[in-house]
mmCIF file of all heavy atoms in Angstrom:
data_model
loop_
_atom_site.group_PDB
_atom_site.id
_atom_site.type_symbol
_atom_site.label_atom_id
_atom_site.label_comp_id
_atom_site.label_asym_id
_atom_site.label_seq_id
_atom_site.Cartn_x
_atom_site.Cartn_y
_atom_site.Cartn_z
ATOM 1 N N SER A 81 -157.787 -183.366 9.825
ATOM 2 C CA SER A 81 -157.777 -182.276 10.769
ATOM 3 C C SER A 81 -159.296 -182.270 11.150
ATOM 4 O O SER A 81 -160.135 -182.693 10.372
ATOM 5 C CB SER A 81 -157.332 -181.026 10.374
ATOM 6 O OG SER A 81 -158.198 -180.454 9.402
ATOM 7 N N GLY A 82 -159.592 -181.599 12.208
ATOM 8 C CA GLY A 82 -161.038 -181.443 12.653
ATOM 9 C C GLY A 82 -161.703 -180.644 11.487
ATOM 10 O O GLY A 82 -162.881 -180.874 11.147
ATOM 11 N N LEU A 83 -161.087 -179.568 10.946
ATOM 12 C CA LEU A 83 -161.652 -178.651 9.860
ATOM 13 C C LEU A 83 -161.880 -179.498 8.624
ATOM 14 O O LEU A 83 -162.857 -179.229 7.807
ATOM 15 C CB LEU A 83 -160.865 -177.530 9.701
ATOM 16 C CG LEU A 83 -161.265 -176.396 10.822
ATOM 17 C CD1 LEU A 83 -160.182 -175.160 10.743
ATOM 18 C CD2 LEU A 83 -162.586 -175.989 10.746
ATOM 19 N N ALA A 84 -161.013 -180.415 8.359
ATOM 20 C CA ALA A 84 -161.130 -181.300 7.101
ATOM 21 C C ALA A 84 -162.387 -182.110 7.264
ATOM 22 O O ALA A 84 -163.238 -182.265 6.234
ATOM 23 C CB ALA A 84 -159.881 -182.121 7.002
ATOM 24 N N GLU A 86 -164.998 -181.299 9.140
ATOM 25 C CA GLU A 86 -166.151 -180.400 9.000
ATOM 26 C C GLU A 86 -166.478 -179.963 7.543
ATOM 27 O O GLU A 86 -167.639 -179.936 7.077
ATOM 28 C CB GLU A 86 -165.927 -179.082 9.787
ATOM 29 C CG GLU A 86 -165.784 -179.329 11.264
ATOM 30 C CD GLU A 86 -165.582 -178.157 12.119
ATOM 31 O OE1 GLU A 86 -166.016 -177.033 11.485
ATOM 32 O OE2 GLU A 86 -165.303 -178.195 13.432
ATOM 33 N N TYR A 107 -166.520 -172.416 17.561
ATOM 34 C CA TYR A 107 -165.204 -172.377 17.313
ATOM 35 C C TYR A 107 -164.861 -171.500 16.173
ATOM 36 O O TYR A 107 -165.438 -171.646 15.135
ATOM 37 C CB TYR A 107 -164.708 -173.793 17.103
ATOM 38 C CG TYR A 107 -163.198 -173.945 16.522
ATOM 39 C CD1 TYR A 107 -162.183 -173.706 17.453
ATOM 40 C CD2 TYR A 107 -162.872 -174.340 15.280
ATOM 41 C CE1 TYR A 107 -160.895 -173.743 17.062
ATOM 42 C CE2 TYR A 107 -161.647 -174.505 14.981
ATOM 43 C CZ TYR A 107 -160.485 -174.210 15.848
ATOM 44 O OH TYR A 107 -159.239 -174.276 15.291
ATOM 45 N N THR A 110 -164.677 -172.993 12.852
ATOM 46 C CA THR A 110 -165.841 -173.386 12.069
ATOM 47 C C THR A 110 -166.536 -172.208 11.403
ATOM 48 O O THR A 110 -167.022 -172.277 10.439
ATOM 49 C CB THR A 110 -166.765 -174.056 13.241
ATOM 50 O OG1 THR A 110 -166.006 -175.185 13.705
ATOM 51 C CG2 THR A 110 -168.074 -174.579 12.661
ATOM 52 N N GLU A 150 -172.236 -176.790 19.408
ATOM 53 C CA GLU A 150 -170.894 -177.184 19.972
ATOM 54 C C GLU A 150 -171.192 -177.005 21.579
ATOM 55 O O GLU A 150 -171.546 -176.021 21.960
ATOM 56 C CB GLU A 150 -169.903 -176.078 19.559
ATOM 57 C CG GLU A 150 -168.515 -176.489 19.493
ATOM 58 C CD GLU A 150 -167.760 -175.236 19.209
ATOM 59 O OE1 GLU A 150 -167.780 -174.639 18.062
ATOM 60 O OE2 GLU A 150 -167.021 -174.742 20.072
ATOM 61 N N ASN A 154 -166.593 -173.518 22.659
ATOM 62 C CA ASN A 154 -165.152 -172.915 22.626
ATOM 63 C C ASN A 154 -165.236 -171.514 22.172
ATOM 64 O O ASN A 154 -165.727 -171.242 21.030
ATOM 65 C CB ASN A 154 -164.333 -173.830 21.595
ATOM 66 C CG ASN A 154 -162.875 -173.504 21.505
ATOM 67 O OD1 ASN A 154 -162.462 -172.511 22.224
ATOM 68 N ND2 ASN A 154 -162.214 -174.095 20.580
ATOM 69 N N ASP A 179 -170.533 -180.766 17.548
ATOM 70 C CA ASP A 179 -169.035 -180.829 17.750
ATOM 71 C C ASP A 179 -168.815 -181.276 19.076
ATOM 72 O O ASP A 179 -169.029 -180.547 20.150
ATOM 73 C CB ASP A 179 -168.502 -179.355 17.416
ATOM 74 C CG ASP A 179 -166.998 -179.495 17.519
ATOM 75 O OD1 ASP A 179 -166.353 -180.279 18.187
ATOM 76 O OD2 ASP A 179 -166.364 -178.502 16.825
ATOM 77 N N THR A 181 -165.764 -181.980 20.568
ATOM 78 C CA THR A 181 -164.477 -181.994 20.774
ATOM 79 C C THR A 181 -164.179 -181.673 22.305
ATOM 80 O O THR A 181 -163.269 -182.309 22.864
ATOM 81 C CB THR A 181 -163.835 -180.923 19.962
ATOM 82 O OG1 THR A 181 -163.977 -181.195 18.509
ATOM 83 C CG2 THR A 181 -162.314 -180.701 20.189
ATOM 84 N N PHE A 182 -164.928 -180.773 22.824
ATOM 85 C CA PHE A 182 -164.596 -180.357 24.269
ATOM 86 C C PHE A 182 -164.953 -181.514 25.340
ATOM 87 O O PHE A 182 -164.215 -181.716 26.341
ATOM 88 C CB PHE A 182 -165.334 -179.047 24.601
ATOM 89 C CG PHE A 182 -164.589 -177.797 24.376
ATOM 90 C CD1 PHE A 182 -163.692 -177.781 23.468
ATOM 91 C CD2 PHE A 182 -164.711 -176.742 25.394
ATOM 92 C CE1 PHE A 182 -163.033 -176.579 23.152
ATOM 93 C CE2 PHE A 182 -163.996 -175.571 25.133
ATOM 94 C CZ PHE A 182 -163.172 -175.458 24.111
ATOM 95 N N SER A 201 -162.464 -182.797 16.624
ATOM 96 C CA SER A 201 -160.976 -182.536 16.351
ATOM 97 C C SER A 201 -160.278 -183.447 17.142
ATOM 98 O O SER A 201 -160.282 -183.252 18.483
ATOM 99 C CB SER A 201 -160.586 -180.991 16.725
ATOM 100 O OG SER A 201 -159.208 -180.893 16.720
ATOM 101 N N THR A 203 -157.344 -183.855 17.391
ATOM 102 C CA THR A 203 -156.140 -183.127 17.779
ATOM 103 C C THR A 203 -156.226 -182.975 19.334
ATOM 104 O O THR A 203 -155.158 -182.823 19.980
ATOM 105 C CB THR A 203 -156.099 -181.790 17.169
ATOM 106 O OG1 THR A 203 -156.455 -181.853 15.757
ATOM 107 C CG2 THR A 203 -154.883 -181.040 17.360
ATOM 108 N N LYS A 204 -157.428 -182.847 19.888
ATOM 109 C CA LYS A 204 -157.527 -182.384 21.316
ATOM 110 C C LYS A 204 -157.634 -183.527 22.265
ATOM 111 O O LYS A 204 -156.597 -184.182 22.259
ATOM 112 C CB LYS A 204 -158.902 -181.572 21.299
ATOM 113 C CG LYS A 204 -159.005 -180.632 20.222
ATOM 114 C CD LYS A 204 -157.949 -179.457 20.176
ATOM 115 C CE LYS A 204 -157.879 -178.570 18.990
ATOM 116 N NZ LYS A 204 -159.066 -177.952 18.473
ATOM 117 N N VAL A 213 -152.394 -183.737 14.616
ATOM 118 C CA VAL A 213 -153.633 -183.008 14.202
ATOM 119 C C VAL A 213 -154.573 -184.011 13.422
ATOM 120 O O VAL A 213 -154.083 -184.775 12.408
ATOM 121 C CB VAL A 213 -153.254 -181.760 13.248
ATOM 122 C CG1 VAL A 213 -154.453 -181.134 12.667
ATOM 123 C CG2 VAL A 213 -152.438 -180.842 14.088
ATOM 124 N N GLY A 214 -155.817 -184.063 13.752
ATOM 125 C CA GLY A 214 -156.743 -184.830 13.046
ATOM 126 C C GLY A 214 -158.077 -184.637 13.412
ATOM 127 O O GLY A 214 -158.399 -183.723 14.105
ATOM 128 N N LEU A 333 -155.684 -177.451 22.713
ATOM 129 C CA LEU A 333 -156.407 -177.812 24.037
ATOM 130 C C LEU A 333 -156.278 -179.284 24.125
ATOM 131 O O LEU A 333 -156.170 -179.973 23.111
ATOM 132 C CB LEU A 333 -157.715 -177.267 24.281
ATOM 133 C CG LEU A 333 -158.742 -177.707 23.195
ATOM 134 C CD1 LEU A 333 -159.721 -178.676 23.764
ATOM 135 C CD2 LEU A 333 -159.516 -176.552 22.475
HETATM 136 C C1 PLP B 1 -159.668 -177.326 17.297
HETATM 137 C C2 PLP B 1 -161.215 -177.496 17.096
HETATM 138 C C3 PLP B 1 -161.730 -177.645 15.883
HETATM 139 C C4 PLP B 1 -160.851 -177.863 14.612
HETATM 140 O O1 PLP B 1 -160.003 -178.902 14.628
HETATM 141 P P1 PLP B 1 -158.522 -178.916 13.858
HETATM 142 O O2 PLP B 1 -158.184 -180.319 14.247
HETATM 143 O O3 PLP B 1 -157.724 -177.805 14.495
HETATM 144 O O4 PLP B 1 -158.861 -178.776 12.382
HETATM 145 C C5 PLP B 1 -163.064 -177.785 15.714
HETATM 146 N N1 PLP B 1 -163.858 -177.632 16.824
HETATM 147 C C6 PLP B 1 -163.425 -177.387 17.965
HETATM 148 C C7 PLP B 1 -164.364 -177.263 19.143
HETATM 149 C C8 PLP B 1 -162.034 -177.313 18.109
HETATM 150 O O5 PLP B 1 -161.615 -177.075 19.542
#
Side-chain angles (χ1 to χ4, degrees):
S81 70
L83 281 173
E86 295 186 16
Y107 169 68
T110 302
E150 210 183 291
N154 182 1
D179 182 335
T181 298
F182 266 37
S201 169
T203 313
K204 315 294 171 52
V213 172
L333 61 109

